[in-house]
Structure formats: C-alpha cells, structure tokens
Amino acid sequence: MNSWQLLFKRISQNWKQQFAVVKRVVDWTVLVYLVIPTIVISFFIYQSWWIQIPGWMRILPLSAIFVLFFLFLWGDHFLTYVREADRIFLRKKEKLFLGMKRGGIIYSYAFQWWSAATLCLFIAPLWFIHFDLQVGQLILFAALWVSLKWFIMAVKGKLDVELRGWRSLLRGIPLFIGAAIIWTWCYKAFINDNILMIATLIFINTIVSIWLVRSRFTSVHTFEKDLAIDELEKNKYMEIIFGLSMDMEKMPKPVPVRNSPRLYSKSNRIFKNRTPKNGFIELFIKATTRNIEYIIGYFQIMGVTSAAMVILPPIWLKVTMASLGTIFLLIWLGSVWHKVIGSHSFTKKYASEEGYFEGKKMVTTVLAIPFIIIICCSFIINIWIRNHFFFF
C-alpha cells in the first residue's frame, strides 16, 4: 500500500465514521418526515430563485454577502489524517508517513476550494440576477475567500489546539481582528474593481498559508501537533451531533477532582421552605450551575434564535425561527431535567411523585421567560434597525 492509497483509506474511514454517527441520531422517522421533505422543498425554493428573486432578498446589499462568508471562514484545519497507532509503525516508514501527510494537506487545500464552489453556487441567483455581476467576479470573490480561509487555517495550525476556556478565547481575538481587517480590504478592493489589489491579497494569503504549513508538509517531527489537530476535527462534529441528540447515551467528560465545588461549597440551602418541589428544583439548580456545558447550551439556543430574529428579513421566517427555537428549548430543558434528576440513581425512584413534575414545570417556565423576553427584544431591535438603516 502506497501513501496515496493509505490516505484515501483514511479519508474514507473518516467520512464513514461521521455518517455512522449521523445514522445513530437521525432515525428513519426523522429521515422520512423531516430530512427528505426539507431537501426536496429546498431544491424547489432554490430553483425558484433563478426565475424570480424573493422580495426579502432584493434588499440585501453586497456587503451582506461578505459578512455571511466571513462567518464561514472559521472552524477548519489542515488535516494530515494521522492516528495514534502511527506513532509506532508509520513513523518508522518515513516516506510512506510523509507522503500521507502531504496528501492530507493537499486534500485540505482542495476541499476548501470545493467548499467555496458550493457556497458560491448557493448565492449564484442573488449574484447574477440581483447584483448583476459576472462569472469572473464570482471566481475572484471565491478566490479571495478561500485564500483567506487557507491563511486562517494555517495560523490555527500553529496555535495550541489543546488550549481551552478563556485562554483560547483571548488567543483567538487577535486572529479574529486580523482576519476582519484583511476581509475589509478584500471588500474595498472588490467594490472598487481593483484587480491588482485583489490579486495581491490572494497571492499574499496563499503564500503565507503555504509558509506556515511548510513544517507539517516536509517533516515527520510534527506528529504530536498533527495528531492533536486531527483528533480535534474528528471529534468536533461528533460532539455537535451528540449534543443535539436527546436519546443517545454520551460518555461523561472527565472533570478535575476538587476538595469542594466552587459553587455551594457548604451545600447551602437555596430555599428555606423544604418541600419536595423545592428539593428537586434546588438539586437541578446546583447540578446545572456547576456544569458550564448546561449554561453554554442554554445561551447558545437563546443566542442563535435571537440572532435569527434580527438577521432574517421576512416576518414568516422570524415567526418560524421563534417557534422552532422555543420548541427546541423546551425539549432541551426536558432532556437536561431527565438527565440531572430523572435518570440519576438517587432521584429516579421519585420520578413518579407530584413534586417531580411540579419542579420540572417550574424550572421550564422560569427558564422560558428570559428566552421569550430576549426574542421579543430582538424583534424590536430588528424593527429599529429597519427604520434607521434602509439597507436592512
């Protein structure tokens, strides 16, 4: 087996693994009643865009396309498809190992071009009919986007991917600001038809990305970095899919052992009135506030729904997203309650008592109120923006 055969085998295994995870989450009922109808409806909607652009899309400025594509710049790395076992076997076969790594990086470059082509195909009706731009301009736009994405991927490959928490956030701020400045230059060069500036930006982004990734391309001594990046990418989509799954069993993440928790270190009572309902609510509050994942999940649902209320122009899309967000929040809260209270070995035997259901109802109501308030405020903000900024 040569290096390219090994690479294609690894790529195939990776896609099969991701597909297997999706199959475990999306059962046949979801596939038949939700996924397939969504694909069919989306196809006919997209086809109708080539005939007549919807009214809400006609108010979009070209800058909105650049803002949208800026959001798609993040989240990917250059992959080499190494595995933990390669530490023993393949590193002794340097030519085979290095050939596979090089092929993986070349594949990552090519895959981003395919991503750019897919995204550009999606906006093609808007690009040609609404903005009245040409194919050559779309190719230049795709080249600008993919070159900057290569640059960001190369920089991220130099950073410590195993760093988490606030340190990772602080480290990413300079990269975010730098990418925003470069993308702004790209936008100005594009609207001014400055071909020389566009070609210069594409050239610099591409050359810098190649220079930054050169050590991973030419050496086998970056194995630990390659392995960390590949493991991060392999688990990223699994964690998203597992997080959306309500029924799939998930392995608990290891947490450091502490002599006492940061919150409620002395097991302070939250409620003075000791009733079964208050007991369940108190246990839920302590369990969820001590776990940052539950807090992040709640604010993610709230943030995505409120952002959709501000960004999406047509009123029917706003109402749909608000309804779907509310339903998803209620389902998610029920899942968290069951995981924390209903399935716990010490409390599940009380799951049939009245206090259990009263506590669940109270928690759902209290947490739904801020969500509804934020959604309403987002709708008001959208109205204010439309009244003051005509291009929205």
Side-chain angles (χ1 to χ4, degrees), residues 43-60:
F43 172 77
F44 285 108
I45 291 176
Y46 177 77
Q47 189 179 40
S48 69
W49 290 355
W50 286 98
I51 301 173
Q52 183 179 5
I53 294 294
W56 65 269
M57 293 181 68
R58 294 176 182 172
I59 65 175
L60 291 176

Side-chain angles (χ1 to χ4, degrees), residues 86-320:
D86 297 342
R87 190 192 309 271
I88 300 174
F89 178 69
L90 281 184
R91 287 193 68 177
K92 297 179 181 179
K93 299 179 178 295
E94 184 171 327
K95 184 177 179 181
L96 178 63
F97 184 60
L98 193 57
M100 183 190 68
K101 285 184 55 178
R102 289 172 175 171
I105 293 174
I106 293 173
Y107 172 79
S108 299
Y109 271 104
F111 183 80
Q112 295 309 320
W113 255 119
W114 178 84
S115 300
T118 303
L119 291 172
C120 289
L121 180 64
F122 177 76
I123 66 167
L126 190 64
W127 188 273
F128 296 129
I129 300 176
H130 175 53
F131 297 125
D132 195 26
L133 298 174
Q134 305 302 318
V135 176
Q137 293 171 302
L138 184 60
I139 294 174
L140 282 177
F141 172 75
L144 278 172
W145 180 82
V146 78
S147 67
L148 181 56
K149 185 158 189 179
W150 287 341
F151 172 81
I152 294 174
M153 290 167 61
V155 173
K156 289 169 64 178
K158 288 290 185 179
L159 302 176
D160 184 7
V161 297
E162 296 180 348
L163 196 64
R164 296 289 186 270
W166 63 269
R167 292 177 297 175
S168 176
L169 178 62
L170 291 178
R171 181 200 60 189
I173 290 176
L175 177 60
F176 181 86
I177 295 175
I181 294 173
I182 296 174
W183 195 234
T184 302
W185 292 344
C186 294
Y187 171 70
K188 291 180 179 179
F190 190 86
I191 61 175
N192 293 324
D193 290 328
N194 192 338
I195 303 299
L196 179 61
M197 183 65 173
I198 292 175
T200 302
L201 288 170
I202 293 173
F203 178 78
I204 293 175
N205 288 336
T206 304
I207 292 301
V208 172
S209 73
I210 294 173
W211 180 75
L212 291 175
V213 83
R214 179 172 53 90
S215 60
R216 298 179 62 198
F217 193 84
T218 59
S219 175
V220 298
H221 301 296
T222 59
F223 177 79
E224 298 298 335
K225 169 72 71 174
D226 297 332
L227 181 62
I229 291 174
D230 280 67
E231 288 297 321
L232 175 67
E233 285 293 312
K234 184 174 68 174
N235 296 328
K236 178 177 64 177
Y237 295 106
M238 289 186 183
E239 291 178 358
I240 295 174
I241 295 171
F242 284 170
L244 294 175
S245 173
M246 301 299 175
D247 302 319
M248 184 179 293
E249 184 64 24
K250 308 168 185 67
M251 293 297 294
K253 292 185 177 181
V255 295
V257 178
R258 296 174 53 88
N259 293 329
S260 61
R262 292 186 178 92
L263 296 177
Y264 323 108
S265 58
K266 297 180 180 180
S267 295
N268 310 75
R269 291 182 177 181
I270 299 177
F271 303 104
K272 293 182 179 180
N273 186 15
R274 310 303 292 172
T275 63
K277 180 184 76 172
N278 289 345
F280 284 117
I281 295 175
E282 181 174 314
L283 180 61
F284 180 84
I285 293 174
K286 289 182 177 181
T288 52
T289 53
R290 285 171 176 168
N291 192 330
I292 190 65
E293 290 186 8
Y294 295 131
I295 300 174
I296 292 175
Y298 177 74
F299 283 106
Q300 281 179 337
I301 298 172
M302 182 184 295
V304 170
T305 308
S306 59
M309 295 294 292
V310 174
I311 296 173
L312 296 177
I315 190 68
W316 66 270
L317 275 180
K318 296 181 187 295
V319 175
T320 302

